[in-house]
Amino acid sequence: MPAMPRVRKEPSEIRQPEGAKQVLLAAPRGYCAGVDRAVIAVERALEHYGEPVYVRKEIVHNRHVVETLTERGAIFVDSANDVPEGKRVVFSAHGVSPEVHAKAAARNLETIDATCPLVTKVHREAIRFAKEGYLIVLVGHEGHEEVEGTMGEAPDDIVLVQNPDEARAVDLGDPEKLIWISQTTLSVDETMETVDILRERYPQLQDPPSDDICYATQNRQVAVKKIAPQADLVIVVGSANSSNSVRLVEVALEAGAKAAHRVDFAREVDEEWFHGVATVGVTSGASVPEILVQGVLKLLAEYGYTDVEEVQTATEDLMFSLPRELRKDLKAAGHKTSNKKDGADREHDLR
């Protein structure tokens, strides 16, 4: 039998704080340019080529996005080997290794590479540094698709270090040329703590020529740091496998929030969290459509949190063009190749 829906407590059953209640809504939040591009790529591919369109791994790490695109005809697979020979497959925003590209070519797959350009930049750095004779330290999380793709570019020249503890223990020998790069979705603070420990042990460690942490990851962390000290509770909207969403919870707590929780949907918010809470901070990870944030705000309003103040710490206007393969086919068919909708900036509801 299906599980019975949870019965929520009435607002009157929640212990009310003294004084006014408010919501501090972080901005920027939600979709970054790379996620926007990848999701639109799958949507446009479905429109242009028809169903099905195969997608290797999750196009972005968000349950709602994956479920909605599945309903529209996308088929998500774990490996290029799961795609019927000769069919079309989209590579996710997190990037893939040369080995994956080779497997796709061997199966005569038509590929659309929706790798975020910022991830591609890290891949190119790895290739260049390896050719120049560097031992490369990649700061990132084992098993994350982005890390697997980056390490695949130079597997014999990259050592993965996940955190400060591993930085204290790793044995890198005595390389003459040593440089670090990082997964784009990490916490800036934790990454630099790891790098600082490595540099204490290996003074020859060099910095990459530019910061690898994604601008959107940094902006969302800065925004949550702004609201966290004033918040009794911070709610982060994002999926459990979204590295940047998980980090936002940690950043909120480190910045002074009294409590912080991650949810995929408003229905996962526990009203018990509201006891004695006057100020709720709300933000979302870089792969989260705004409709999910609005769902949380609607729920909060039902419990008396109707005063919403948006706290803006940066303005984002970056937009990436659609993947080259998709643009080529759209242009040949006489269709628009922009990732704008009806001439206006695209904002996904994914209803």
Side-chain angles (χ1 to χ4, degrees), residues 48 328-337:
H48 181 66
K328 179 181 176 182
D329 288 350
L330 290 173
K331 184 177 181 180
H335 297 157
K336 292 181 180 180
T337 60

Side-chain angles (χ1 to χ4, degrees), residues 36 40 43-44 47 72 319-320 322 336-351:
D36 197 46
I40 294 172
E43 292 179 328
R44 296 292 295 276
E47 293 169 3
R72 294 184 181 180
M319 180 176 288
F320 295 131
L322 291 173
K336 292 181 180 180
T337 60
S338 171
N339 61 350
K340 294 185 178 183
K341 187 176 183 181
D342 300 328
D345 285 351
R346 175 81 177 201
E347 180 176 334
H348 292 279
D349 281 342
L350 284 176
R351 299 180 187 279

Side-chain angles (χ1 to χ4, degrees), residues 300-316:
L300 288 169
E302 294 174 3
Y303 284 85
Y305 299 92
T306 56
D307 179 12
V308 179
E309 177 187 349
E310 187 169 63
V311 180
Q312 184 100 28
T313 56
T315 300
E316 296 177 352

Side-chain angles (χ1 to χ4, degrees), residues 153-297:
E153 297 288 2
D156 296 331
D157 301 287
I158 298 179
V159 176
L160 179 65
V161 175
Q162 299 188 77
N163 51 46
D165 289 339
E166 289 193 5
R168 295 184 184 95
V170 67
D171 184 0
L172 300 176
D174 188 23
E176 180 180 344
K177 300 176 74 173
L178 182 65
I179 197 164
W180 68 274
I181 59 177
S182 73
Q183 180 181 331
T184 63
T185 56
L186 299 183
S187 159
V188 178
D189 294 338
E190 183 179 358
T191 298
M192 294 316 300
E193 181 183 358
T194 300
V195 170
D196 288 344
I197 292 169
L198 286 169
R199 185 170 285 113
E200 287 178 8
R201 299 184 60 213
Y202 300 95
Q204 72 270 43
L205 180 67
Q206 296 183 39
D207 295 329
S210 61
D211 189 358
D212 289 336
I213 301 294
C214 166
Y215 78 94
T217 298
Q218 294 188 58
N219 286 347
R220 280 145 192 74
Q221 290 174 10
V222 169
V224 85
K225 286 179 181 179
K226 182 75 172 179
I227 65 175
Q230 307 166 65
D232 301 304
L233 166 68
V234 170
I235 297 175
V236 175
V237 186
S239 292
N241 62 341
S242 167
S243 177
N244 74 89
S245 297
V246 173
R247 300 284 89 70
L248 284 172
V249 175
E250 298 170 355
V251 170
L253 292 170
E254 291 167 359
K258 294 178 182 175
H261 301 278
R262 181 202 55 77
V263 298
D264 266 291
F265 305 100
R267 64 176 180 265
E268 297 173 356
V269 173
D270 188 342
E271 67 273 18
E272 294 282 353
W273 299 341
F274 302 152
H275 284 297
V277 167
T279 301
V280 180
V282 176
T283 189
S284 60
S287 52
V288 178
E290 179 64 13
I291 189 173
L292 300 184
V293 175
Q294 294 303 315
V296 170
L297 295 178

